[in-house]
Amino acid sequence: MFLVGLTGGIASGKSSVIQVFQQLGCAVIDVDIIARHIVQPGYPAHRRIVEAFGTEVLLENGDIDRKVLGDLIFNQPDRRHLLNSITHPEICKEMMKETFKYFLRGYRYVILDIPLLFETKKLLKYMKHTVVVYCDRDTQLARLMRRNNLSREDAEARIKAQLPLKDKARMARHVLDNSGEWSVTKRQVVLLHTELEHSLEYLPLRLGVLTGLAGIVGLLYFLTHYLLPSP
């Protein structure tokens, strides 16, 4: 099994593309959901965040106040690095757990929905394929203004706060162009799924795991039949 990192930008249509993949029966892991999950009370990351940033980052119910924490690390590279050093290992562990579940169920590939895939680059090394849901700047602007009822100025400010989609598209292995009709985008998703599903890139890992399991079974057989005393 191999991993596919999927990303996009604000109002590019990433969520709609993810829904199509899910309708096709694909395994999808939302890294944002994992990131929110691992900082809940009772988890190691929650305790370490409170130790590092103080109780001021807590809401009355004990949850992390994401806005306060965001303000604390804004334009503070050292603090941002500290937070990442706490959360990223826990995110990776949960991501691997979820991925292994899909591996055991026989999926050939798993899609990881990662909003900041190219910005942080932390998870890129795990991805066999990278996909960007792209649309041109004018389309992105018009969709954002309509969807969020924003002025042109506010919408442009939100778009400028992100890495431009054209830059992400240059770094990605696959680009799904969602600038036009939705039917055209959907057809691109189906074609990409077909390409990934028929890829043989999942075989080396699966064969390696099966070989390892066969070795363990063989070792156990040898121990129980030749080295352990008979009753």
Side-chain angles (χ1 to χ4, degrees), residues 61-206:
N61 64 359
D63 289 343
I64 298 292
D65 189 325
R66 296 168 67 87
K67 183 181 184 307
V68 170
L69 185 58
D71 291 342
L72 285 175
I73 66 173
F74 184 71
N75 286 335
Q76 298 285 337
D78 290 343
R79 286 189 164 190
R80 182 179 295 275
H81 177 74
L82 175 59
L83 178 62
N84 289 340
S85 70
I86 293 171
T87 59
H88 282 167
E90 298 299 322
I91 290 172
C92 285
K93 282 195 288 187
E94 290 298 318
M95 185 183 76
M96 289 301 131
K97 286 180 187 177
E98 292 297 314
T99 300
F100 189 63
K101 291 177 185 177
Y102 287 120
F103 173 83
L104 293 177
R105 292 167 62 184
Y107 283 86
R108 294 191 174 189
Y109 72 93
V110 173
I111 296 172
L112 280 88
D113 177 2
I114 310 173
L116 300 178
L117 177 64
F118 293 112
E119 287 86 342
T120 64
K121 296 183 172 61
K122 294 288 186 181
L123 298 176
L124 269 177
K125 61 184 177 182
Y126 302 110
M127 304 301 134
K128 191 73 174 179
H129 292 258
T130 52
V131 182
V132 164
V133 181
Y134 169 85
C135 66
D136 62 72
R137 177 64 178 267
D138 290 341
T139 300
Q140 185 182 24
L141 182 62
R143 286 175 180 167
L144 182 57
M145 290 171 62
R146 183 172 61 250
R147 187 190 74 183
N148 291 29
N149 194 27
L150 297 174
S151 67
R152 185 182 186 89
E153 182 181 2
D154 288 342
E156 286 181 338
R158 294 196 183 191
I159 292 173
K160 286 179 181 178
Q162 298 184 340
L163 184 67
L165 279 171
K166 62 181 181 180
D167 292 345
K168 295 183 180 183
R170 281 197 292 265
M171 292 184 278
R173 182 168 177 179
H174 308 277
V175 178
L176 299 174
D177 191 345
N178 190 32
S179 301
E181 295 293 327
W182 172 241
S183 60
V184 176
T185 303
K186 188 173 182 179
R187 186 157 56 247
Q188 293 176 62
V189 177
V190 173
L191 289 173
L192 178 57
H193 167 62
T194 302
E195 177 185 339
L196 296 174
E197 189 69 15
H198 290 131
S199 169
L200 298 179
E201 291 172 306
Y202 74 97
L203 281 176
L205 175 61
R206 191 167 293 275

Side-chain angles (χ1 to χ4, degrees), residues 45-60:
H46 180 278
R47 175 179 51 78
R48 292 183 60 199
I49 288 172
V50 175
E51 289 174 353
F53 297 95
T55 55
E56 62 184 288
V57 300
L58 293 178
L59 294 168
E60 289 185 4

